Amino acid sequence: MAALVWLLIPLVAAVGAGLWGSWANRTRKARSDGPELDGYARFREAMEKSRSGG
């Protein structure tokens, strides 16, 4: 019986990890990369200006 309890620990951990992963991924669909990509585009433009101006 004790062996079954020890086998339940990884099973519960795997189920918990699956639930957490699905919960953590649910907000990713609502979020886009728009602001991050806009910031990166501004950074690239600034780098190109400093290179051509120097």
Side-chain angles (χ1 to χ4, degrees):
M1 192 59 138
L4 292 176
V5 172
W6 279 105
L7 290 175
L8 281 177
I9 293 172
L11 178 65
V12 170
V15 170
L19 289 173
W20 179 82
S22 63
W23 178 80
N25 196 26
R26 71 177 168 78
T27 58
R28 185 168 294 184
K29 295 172 188 152
R31 243 182 352 207
S32 68
D33 289 336
E36 289 84 4
L37 292 178
D38 291 341
Y40 179 66
R42 287 194 305 271
F43 171 75
R44 286 184 50 197
E45 289 173 9
M47 288 290 110
E48 289 173 1
K49 286 180 185 175
S50 68
R51 190 180 308 157
S52 64

